Amino acid sequence: MKQFTRAVVSAALCAALSLACTLPAFAAEGEMLEVNEDISVSADYDWTRFANDHLTLNVYNWGLYISDGSDDSVNVISASRT
C-alpha cells in the first residue's frame, strides 16, 4: 500500500511540476510589447551627463559572448579599461 501511495504522490508532483513549468508560456502569449516610437539615440546625445555621478554598470554575461577581438571585432575587455 505504501508503494502505491508513494507512486500516486510522485505522479501528482510530476504533473504539478509539469503544469507549473508550462504556465508562464501561456501567460506570456498575447502580451507582446509594442514600440510605437523611435527608440534610436540622436547624434547629439550627451554621453557624459552621468560622468561625475560615480555610477557603476555591472553587466553579467557568459564569457563566450564577450568579444576578444579575434574575429576582427572590438576587444571589449581592453576597450572597457580606457
Side-chain angles (χ1 to χ4, degrees), residues 14-36:
C14 286
L17 182 61
S18 297
L19 180 64
C21 289
T22 58
L23 283 179
F26 293 117
E29 188 176 320
E31 294 182 17
M32 299 301 290
L33 177 65
E34 185 175 330
V35 177
N36 293 325

Side-chain angles (χ1 to χ4, degrees), residues 58-67:
N58 295 314
V59 178
Y60 298 94
N61 196 4
W62 295 100
L64 178 65
Y65 299 112
I66 297 176
S67 175

Side-chain angles (χ1 to χ4, degrees), residues 14-77:
C14 286
L17 182 61
S18 297
L19 180 64
C21 289
T22 58
L23 283 179
F26 293 117
E29 188 176 320
E31 294 182 17
M32 299 301 290
L33 177 65
E34 185 175 330
V35 177
N36 293 325
E37 60 188 65
D38 183 17
I39 57 173
S40 62
V41 178
S42 65
D44 61 344
Y45 182 80
D46 182 15
W47 292 101
T48 61
R49 68 182 186 161
F50 298 113
N52 296 323
D53 290 344
H54 305 290
L55 299 174
T56 301
L57 174 64
N58 295 314
V59 178
Y60 298 94
N61 196 4
W62 295 100
L64 178 65
Y65 299 112
I66 297 176
S67 175
D68 61 358
S70 63
D71 56 352
D72 294 328
S73 61
V74 175
N75 184 339
V76 177
I77 304 299

